[in-house]
Amino acid sequence: MTTPSAPAPALELRGVSCAFGAHAVFDGIDLTIPPGQMVALLGPSGAGKTTLLRILAGTLPPGRGTVRVLGAELGRLSARQLRRLRQRVGFLYQTDALVPGLRTVHNVLIGRLGHWSLLRSLLSLVWPQEVERARAALAAVGIPEKLHAPVAALSGGQRQRVAIARLLAQDSELILADEPAAALDPRLRRATIELLVRLARERGRTCLVSLHDLELMGAGFDRVLALRHGRWFFDGPPGGLDAARIAELFAEERARGVEPDA
Ligand SMILES: Nc1ncnc2c1ncn2[C@@H]1O[C@H](COP(=O)(O)OP(=O)(O)OP(=O)(O)O)[C@@H](O)[C@H]1O
Ligand SMILES: [Mg+2]
């Protein structure tokens, strides 16, 4: 009788160390995230959230250790293989990284470039390709009427929705997001994170989202990872991180006079 083997992790770090000059951010950190898991990455400023996401994105090679993304070991990939792998990963940043001179439809379809030939990509600038896909992605994020709007005419919250629609159009297997709602008005933050998590879950994607904002807890994540000084401070379900642990996590930051954003 054969037992089905567990699926390969979507993300895996083994003994990863990373330093900037003499300053060690990580010293032998491990992490396993199975496919389809929705994970929040929490921690005070300087804890290493962005550094961890850069390592997983393949833009910052760690000094030591192995990094596996969607089953591939990053250190063993050629530049071309790394580019191919990155097409399977969707990135979301604090500011939306939309192209300001282009209409919404083109910005959403940028998510398709990795799937298209150069000719088709160029043609799309004149005659948008796969418009229905862009329309469906914008409908999923609640702004279908903005298909032809110039992005300069969108609000901050709408722009971040366009960035999420671009991820949907890209059809990435994995989403890595670094404080994707931090630049938004506090009342929009929770809604934006909830939308991202819900859409990723419906599509069976894996999601790792760094957050600095405690208000974003409870947005539908399966798991919370908390980093402090480059080490795991907490790893468990969101309900397991109680007020006392949260206060401990941010204690030094509060002592320095930095409050977690409300
Ligand atoms: N390019 C760099 N050169 C030198 N030091 C760096 C660099 N990037 C990050 N660091 C240092 O590494 C540590 C972790 O930084 P990182 O940006 O990962 O923190 P973070 O958790 O994302 O913080 P924040 O919540 O402020 O975004 C910090 O001490 C930071 O000063
Ligand atoms: Mg950061």
Side-chain angles (χ1 to χ4, degrees):
M1 219 177 87
T2 54
T3 46
S5 55
L11 293 172
E12 196 175 25
L13 300 178
R14 286 287 160 260
V16 165
S17 299
C18 177
F20 294 107
H23 174 66
V25 182
F26 298 114
D27 185 15
I29 198 170
D30 296 325
L31 172 66
T32 304
I33 296 182
Q37 199 168 56
M38 302 291 135
V39 185
L41 177 63
L42 196 69
S45 185
K49 305 180 294 296
T50 297
T51 305
L52 185 75
L53 287 163
R54 288 182 62 202
I55 291 171
L56 291 169
T59 56
L60 179 66
R64 268 191 297 119
T66 54
V67 183
R68 283 196 192 81
V69 175
L70 299 172
E73 190 177 327
L74 297 189
R76 292 177 182 272
L77 300 182
S78 64
R80 187 169 173 207
Q81 286 170 321
L82 186 61
R83 267 202 310 280
R84 285 233 178 105
L85 179 66
R86 292 180 97 241
Q87 286 169 5
R88 296 165 61 198
V89 183
F91 300 96
L92 197 59
Y93 302 98
Q94 210 171 84
T95 46
D96 51 49
L98 300 179
V99 182
L102 292 182
R103 290 176 188 279
T104 301
V105 58
H106 291 298
N107 270 283
V108 173
L109 290 172
I110 285 173
R112 300 306 296 161
L113 294 181
H115 297 270
W116 291 347
S117 66
L118 176 63
L119 188 64
R120 190 166 192 192
S121 303
L122 293 174
L123 185 62
S124 186
L125 286 172
V126 189
W127 186 13
Q129 306 284 298
E130 299 189 38
V131 175
E132 283 317 309
R133 191 185 281 272
R135 201 189 302 274
L138 285 169
V141 299
I143 48 168
E145 73 282 4
K146 298 297 183 189
L147 186 69
H148 295 294
V151 295
L154 302 180
S155 71
Q158 288 169 341
R159 283 171 192 227
Q160 208 56 334
R161 282 170 187 259
V162 173
I164 295 173
R166 186 178 54 194
L167 284 183
L168 298 180
Q170 185 190 348
D171 217 10
S172 56
E173 291 157 65
L174 168 68
I175 294 168
L176 297 176
D178 194 4
E179 302 200 48
L184 299 180
D185 197 283
R187 74 194 157 79
L188 286 176
R189 290 182 194 164
R190 169 73 74 92
T192 304
I193 299 294
E194 269 176 5
L195 177 71
L196 173 66
V197 172
R198 177 170 60 76
L199 294 171
R201 192 189 292 284
E202 283 170 6
R203 289 159 177 77
R205 321 268 168 88
T206 310
C207 212
L208 178 62
V209 184
S210 89
L211 303 170
H212 186 252
D213 191 334
L214 297 179
E215 293 294 305
L216 298 172
M217 299 292 289
F221 290 101
D222 301 313
R223 177 180 179 190
V224 177
L225 295 167
L227 261 183
R228 192 176 65 166
H229 301 314
R231 289 169 199 263
W232 296 124
F233 173 84
F234 175 85
D235 178 1
L241 200 56
D242 62 19
R245 294 285 278 160
I246 288 172
E248 195 186 340
L249 176 63
F250 290 102
E252 287 171 32
E253 191 170 80
R254 289 206 175 125
R256 287 200 306 269
V258 185
E259 282 295 324
D261 308 337

